[in-house]
Amino acid sequence: MGLALSIAHDEFSKGLGREDTLESRVAIEAFLREVESRAYRIALMGVRDRDEAFDIVQDAMIRLVRRYSRRPSDEWRPLFYRILQNRIRDVQRRRTVRSRVLSFFGGVESEEYDPIVAAAGPRTENPLEQLVATDAMQALEQALALLAPRQREAFMMRNFEGLDVAQTAQAMSCTEGSVKTHYSRAVHRLRELLKEHGEEQ
């Protein structure tokens, strides 16, 4: 995607980071590079539209740099994912309103292809391993799409991003107890949904 370098450069060039050291600029750029591809995948899972997912990630990065670049670096990850999840929910809310308006006037939104299913899986030299890995990833993505939104958020924050319970609670703006509940329910539901897939292997 290449967002990290351009966003860090643009935002600091606007004077937002005049007091920041070169070291802190390099640190925030490195952080953005680290999270951008996974954040895009999370956004894509949430909104199922490549352009909107790209815009969400870009906006989350810009907001992090503008508002929180001077905060300690260990706070960036939960702050970034809180911003990201809020932006995803904003898009979902707008879609709900748009769908209601369209249905009121008799309009129907057309179904488009699912970019999650069409996305390429991880690459490997062994074609059989690549096929199995791609199939497994598609099965997981399809199962994740069936989870309740908060369950999906908790699962992805804990497993895809490696956030602990406290960081996930901060990112999701909820209590640690809620994170544990959402995560437990997500794991239980995913095991049910992926049981058939696992038996086929």
Side-chain angles (χ1 to χ4, degrees):
M1 289 168 61
L3 279 174
L5 180 60
S6 62
I7 285 175
H9 180 268
D10 289 349
E11 293 306 312
F12 284 122
S13 294
K14 289 175 184 173
L16 295 171
R18 279 183 186 146
E19 294 135 22
D20 292 312
T21 64
L22 178 60
E23 184 178 328
S24 66
R25 295 183 190 191
V26 169
I28 192 95
E29 181 186 321
F31 170 76
L32 295 177
R33 278 184 177 163
E34 178 194 342
V35 299
E36 68 179 328
S37 61
R38 290 189 302 256
Y40 175 72
R41 201 157 182 82
I42 289 169
L44 189 56
M45 178 69 70
V47 300
R48 296 180 174 264
D49 180 277
R50 291 179 185 275
D51 292 335
E52 279 193 307
F54 183 87
D55 289 344
I56 286 169
V57 174
Q58 177 175 292
D59 190 47
M61 288 181 166
I62 290 170
R63 290 184 188 203
L64 181 78
V65 173
R66 285 181 179 171
R67 298 179 185 178
Y68 304 111
S69 61
R70 293 188 184 96
R71 297 281 283 271
S73 60
D74 61 346
E75 295 182 17
W76 291 343
R77 190 175 298 275
L79 286 168
F80 175 75
Y81 284 106
R82 181 192 296 175
I83 296 167
L84 184 75
Q85 292 297 341
N86 286 340
R87 288 290 295 112
I88 291 170
R89 283 193 282 272
D90 287 345
V91 170
Q92 291 169 338
R93 271 193 293 270
R94 281 200 308 271
R95 283 184 177 177
T96 300
V97 171
R98 187 171 65 229
S99 294
R100 286 177 184 160
V101 171
L102 284 171
S103 65
F104 179 77
F105 288 106
V108 178
E109 290 191 271
S110 62
E111 287 289 325
E112 296 183 5
Y113 85 104
D114 186 349
I116 294 288
V117 175
R123 301 214 175 267
T124 175
E125 295 300 318
N126 185 320
L128 180 58
E129 287 179 10
Q130 184 174 355
L131 179 63
V132 170
T134 301
D135 186 42
M137 183 52 106
Q138 285 182 345
L140 175 59
E141 289 170 342
Q142 289 167 0
L144 283 168
L146 297 174
L147 295 180
R150 298 295 274 175
Q151 292 175 17
R152 182 168 56 246
E153 286 175 28
F155 184 85
M156 295 181 80
M157 294 295 102
R158 297 296 317 282
N159 288 283
F160 288 15
E161 287 307 313
L163 301 187
D164 61 26
V165 173
Q167 291 173 323
T168 304
Q170 186 179 354
M172 292 178 63
S173 300
C174 65
T175 66
E176 293 183 22
S178 293
V179 168
K180 291 176 182 176
T181 300
H182 291 313
Y183 181 76
S184 175
R185 289 176 179 169
V187 169
H188 181 74
R189 181 69 176 133
L190 286 172
R191 282 179 181 153
E192 290 179 350
L193 292 168
L194 295 172
K195 187 176 180 183
E196 182 180 338
H197 178 79
E199 288 172 351
E200 292 173 355
Q201 301 305 314

